[in-house]
């Protein structure tokens, strides 16, 4: 069984180190206030920040980052565990007259679907549609068989994670990894609250010690220039702290690595050209080993990976302290190359937009050749949150949170709900809660899950998670990343007037009816 790893950092070099070593991590940025974390730790120790050693500083910050992400996942798991209500599962491929589930739809099927109907289409399709295999089948008007179960009842069959008919992110283009051949793995089915081990959460921090001073990222050209001039022809120490947390047990392992770096006697012209690349501005010590700066390093004593920001030997030892074998984290096949964000080599024909270069494949990302004859996004399926607000007096639903999808995404420019591919190691509800926070700032501690709707295609399914704001709590939605043009509370009566994602347009009448019914039930 592969144990998922969550990297509490958006550092591309750190992710690349892991990927090259066979581990494709889930990326979750910690958003830690680093100066505040150091000040708090110094105050607890009864010293000033300046009195903290470089070793202490990188350990403090690495743990602060790991703990912040641990708490974020804890909030997701707690909200999912507290879910109430029922899960309605629809089986459109079992409907009378739909035809052989595994067959590719006929041309008449395709012409019945609007050109924009592509909730599972590639980023290339935009609002003009894509390949026929990418266009979502339209099951409106079909008498679809359904089952009703308590929301925590394990889903039977494949596609347990869910999939993207009502807002899946077919946004971040990717391909399958060592464990991602299009089948759902056991860890994705278990969920965060039932796993005996993992996922592991890794926090990292790096600082450069030079002439007795600790240097982090310079952030400006002037600071980088001053440091690079002082460092040439001399040596310094690069320290990297790691904190690894096992989510299942809460156990923590910490450690730090360091290496001595010997710099060449580079020129002022070299410095100016190096600064012009932008590379030294956002890296600890104002230099890199694996980039433009590597040519100006004459030698290294110690752990070279630690200089890049992630020490593989240290991470392996920390995993061992938690009882996890490093090889249990491998989820990338030997020789597999990390796919670029725009793996299909195309752009949105409607806008000329391309996925942002920061978008990288994460565990669970990839295409499924669905039994319905189309392609869908999410190796473990996908899910999203339909969050509703109720009137404080009447209890009636007044608004829902809607996502205006980025132009480069599938059916870009339409409105749907925030959500995406279910990651390895999480359930459909957990995936929906994580994605809705990452994309739309829907804070899981401020909402209550009250039901779900799962459209099951056999080897692929999408779960729409119904939720209300908790009484006395307020969710302030906003676009947390570049997958949305805007996120906003939309009046319940205004929703059908928006240009909706194809499947959302089909499902909205029943979704509204269900929200109204749940809102009328006795207080939970």
């Amino acid at each position: 069984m592969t144990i998922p790893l969550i990297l509490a950092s958006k550092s591309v070099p750190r992710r690349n180190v892991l990927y090259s070593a066979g581990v494709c991590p889930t990326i979750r940025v910690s958003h830690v206030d680093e100066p505040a974390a150091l000040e708090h730790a110094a105050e607890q120790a009864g010293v000033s920040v300046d009195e903290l050693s470089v070793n202490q500083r990188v350990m403090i910050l690495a743990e602060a980052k790991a703990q912040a992400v641990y708490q974020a996942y804890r909030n997701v798991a707690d909200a999912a565990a507290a879910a109430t209500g029922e899960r309605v599962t629809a089986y459109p491929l079992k409907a009378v007259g739909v035809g052989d589930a595994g067959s590719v739809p006929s041309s008449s099927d395709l012409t019945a679907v609007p050109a924009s109907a592509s909730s599972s289409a590639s980023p290339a399709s935009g609002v003009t549609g894509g390949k026929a295999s990418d266009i979502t089948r339209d099951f409106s008007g079909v008498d679809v068989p359904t089952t009703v179960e308590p929301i925590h009842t394990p889903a039977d069959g494949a596609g347990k994670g869910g999939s993207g008919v009502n807002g899946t992110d077919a946004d971040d283009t990717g391909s399958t990894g060592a464990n991602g051949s299009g089948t759902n793995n056991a860890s994705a089915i278990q969920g965060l609250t039932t796993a005996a081990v993992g996922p592991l959460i890794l926090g990292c921090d790096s600082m450069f010690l030079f002439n007795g001073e600790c240097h982090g990222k310079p952030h400006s050209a002037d600071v980088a220039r001053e440091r690079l001039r002082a460092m040439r022809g001399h040596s310094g120490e690069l320290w990297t702290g790691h904190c690894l947390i096992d989510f299942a047990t809460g156990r923590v392992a910490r450690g730090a690595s360091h290496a001595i770096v010997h710099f060449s006697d580079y020129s002022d012209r070299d410095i100016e050209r190096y600064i012009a690349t932008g590379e030294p501005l956002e890296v600890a010590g104002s230099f890199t080993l694996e980039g433009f700066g590597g040519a100006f390093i004459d030698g290294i004593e110690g752990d070279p990976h630690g200089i890049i920001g992630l020490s593989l030997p240290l991470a392996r030892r920390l995993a061992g302290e938690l009882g996890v074998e490093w090889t249990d984290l491998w989820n990338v096949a030997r020789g597999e190359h990390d796919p670029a964000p725009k793996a299909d080599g195309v752009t949105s024909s409607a806008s000329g937009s391309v996925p942002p270069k920061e978008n990288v494949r994460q565990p669970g990302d990839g295409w499924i050749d669905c039994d319905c004859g189309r392609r869908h996004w999410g190796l473990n399926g996908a899910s999203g949150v339909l969050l509703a607000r109720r009137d404080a007096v009447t209890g009636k639903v007044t608004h829902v949170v809607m996502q205006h999808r980025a132009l480069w995404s599938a059916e870009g420019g339409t409105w749907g709900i925030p959500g995406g591919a279910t990651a390895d190691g999480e359930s459909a509800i957990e995936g929906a809660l994580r994605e809705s926070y990452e994309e739309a700032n829907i804070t899981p501690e401020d909402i209550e899950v009250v039901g779900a709707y799962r459209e099951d295609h056999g080897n692929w399914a999408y779960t729409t998670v119904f939720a209300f704001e908790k009484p006395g709590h307020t969710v302030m939605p906003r676009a947390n990343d570049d997958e949305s043009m805007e996120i906003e509370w939309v009046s319940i009566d205004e929703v059908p007037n928006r240009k909706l994602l194809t499947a959302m347009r089909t499902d909205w009448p029943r979704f509204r009816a269900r929200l109204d019914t749940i809102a009328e039930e006795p207080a939970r």
Side-chain angles (χ1 to χ4, degrees):
M1 178 190 73
T2 298
I3 297 173
L5 178 71
I6 300 164
L7 179 61
S9 171
K10 64 179 179 181
S11 165
V12 174
R14 286 184 180 128
R15 179 188 180 276
N16 289 346
V17 166
L18 284 171
Y19 201 96
S20 297
V23 180
C24 180
T26 296
I27 306 299
R28 179 65 182 261
V29 182
S30 65
H31 302 294
V32 163
D33 183 335
E34 297 187 16
L38 290 174
E39 290 173 7
H40 177 70
E43 183 180 355
Q44 287 190 318
V47 299
S48 69
V49 171
D50 291 340
E51 292 176 284
L52 295 173
S53 68
V54 63
N55 183 21
Q56 290 174 310
R57 295 187 195 198
V58 295
M59 294 281 282
I60 289 167
L61 294 178
E63 182 162 10
K65 294 173 184 178
Q67 290 288 358
V69 171
Y70 171 81
Q71 186 57 53
Y73 270 76
R74 185 75 268 158
N75 292 340
V76 164
D78 290 347
T84 60
E86 297 174 329
R87 180 185 65 235
V88 176
T89 302
Y91 300 92
L93 302 189
K94 296 181 180 181
V96 175
V98 169
D100 184 5
S103 65
V104 176
S106 66
S107 58
S108 60
D109 288 330
L110 296 178
T111 56
V113 183
S116 63
S118 182
S119 64
S120 59
S122 72
S125 64
V127 295
T128 61
K131 302 175 184 176
S133 62
D134 295 343
I135 300 174
T136 301
R137 293 186 69 171
D138 187 350
F139 296 109
S140 59
V142 176
D143 187 11
V144 177
T146 61
T147 60
V148 181
E149 302 166 299
I151 196 167
H152 290 294
T153 303
D156 294 329
K160 291 186 172 89
S163 127
V165 293
N166 282 305
T168 190
D169 277 321
D171 307 341
D172 306 322
T173 305
S175 63
T176 58
N179 296 324
S181 60
T183 58
N184 298 283
N185 60 50
S187 64
I189 296 168
Q190 277 187 317
L192 297 172
T193 58
T194 57
V197 60
L200 301 185
I201 300 169
L202 178 60
C204 310
D205 191 76
S206 299
M207 285 190 179
F208 185 63
L209 183 65
F210 182 74
N211 286 342
E213 292 187 21
C214 297
H215 292 166
K217 301 173 183 178
H219 299 303
S220 74
D222 289 340
V223 174
R225 182 179 297 108
E226 179 183 357
R227 292 181 183 177
L228 289 167
R229 286 176 176 173
M231 287 156 42
R232 61 183 165 192
H234 298 286
S235 302
E237 297 179 41
L238 197 292
W239 285 78
T240 294
H242 289 350
C243 178
L244 196 64
I245 303 176
D246 179 4
F247 183 85
T249 64
R251 294 177 60 206
V252 179
R254 312 168 187 82
S257 77
H258 82 285
I260 300 174
V261 184
H262 302 285
F263 297 96
S264 64
D265 191 15
Y266 41 78
S267 68
D268 284 348
R269 182 178 176 84
D270 290 331
I271 291 174
E272 293 306 318
R273 287 188 167 186
Y274 186 37
I275 290 174
T277 68
E279 181 180 274
L281 304 186
E282 297 301 324
V283 290
S286 310
F287 69 92
T288 65
L289 175 63
E290 77 285 3
F292 289 104
F296 305 119
I297 297 174
D298 283 346
I300 296 169
E301 300 174 49
D303 179 7
H305 283 120
I307 294 176
I308 299 175
L310 197 153
S311 170
L312 289 172
L314 175 58
R316 178 182 58 80
R317 289 195 295 272
L318 296 180
E321 290 182 23
L322 298 178
V324 175
E325 294 185 17
W326 182 255
T327 53
D328 284 339
L329 302 178
W330 286 349
N331 59 352
V332 178
R334 183 176 181 273
E336 180 184 338
H337 296 290
D338 190 13
K342 193 166 63 69
D344 286 344
V346 288
T347 63
S348 167
S349 57
S351 66
S353 301
V354 299
K357 65 180 181 179
E358 294 82 6
N359 285 17
V360 294
R361 181 173 73 82
Q362 303 193 58
D365 285 355
W367 294 105
I368 286 286
D369 289 322
C370 183
D371 289 346
C372 75
R374 313 296 175 89
R375 292 197 314 165
H376 299 303
W377 184 254
L379 302 179
N380 306 315
S383 53
V385 171
L386 178 55
L387 177 63
R389 171 173 285 171
R390 291 168 292 181
D391 183 272
V393 177
T394 67
K396 292 184 177 180
V397 175
T398 60
H399 295 77
V400 294
V401 173
M402 300 291 289
Q403 175 193 47
H404 196 188
R405 299 167 62 81
L407 290 178
W408 56 266
S409 68
E411 289 196 74
T414 60
W415 291 80
I417 60 174
T422 304
D424 292 355
E426 62 186 12
S427 69
I429 294 177
E430 292 162 351
L433 293 169
R434 174 187 55 79
E435 283 278 346
S436 64
Y437 173 74
E438 292 177 357
E439 292 185 3
N441 200 51
I442 295 177
T443 42
E445 59 270 32
D446 293 316
I447 69 175
E448 52 185 357
V449 175
V450 294
Y453 176 83
R454 180 171 176 267
E455 181 167 305
D456 191 325
H457 288 201
N459 65 335
W460 178 88
Y462 184 91
T463 301
T464 299
V465 175
F466 299 97
F468 292 146
E469 280 182 311
K470 289 181 178 177
H473 292 242
T474 301
V475 174
M476 304 293 289
R478 65 170 183 266
N480 272 351
D481 59 25
D482 47 26
E483 297 185 15
S484 312
M485 289 192 285
E486 54 189 322
I487 304 284
E488 65 180 60
W489 284 105
V490 177
S491 167
I492 195 78
D493 295 323
E494 170 64 19
V495 171
N497 298 328
R498 300 289 173 107
K499 183 179 181 181
L500 298 178
L501 189 74
T502 301
M504 176 56 75
R505 183 177 66 246
T506 300
D507 290 333
W508 176 247
R510 71 172 67 94
F511 284 178
R512 172 166 186 176
R514 186 164 178 198
L515 285 172
D516 289 340
T517 298
I518 296 173
E520 292 173 358
E521 294 174 356
R524 297 172 181 275

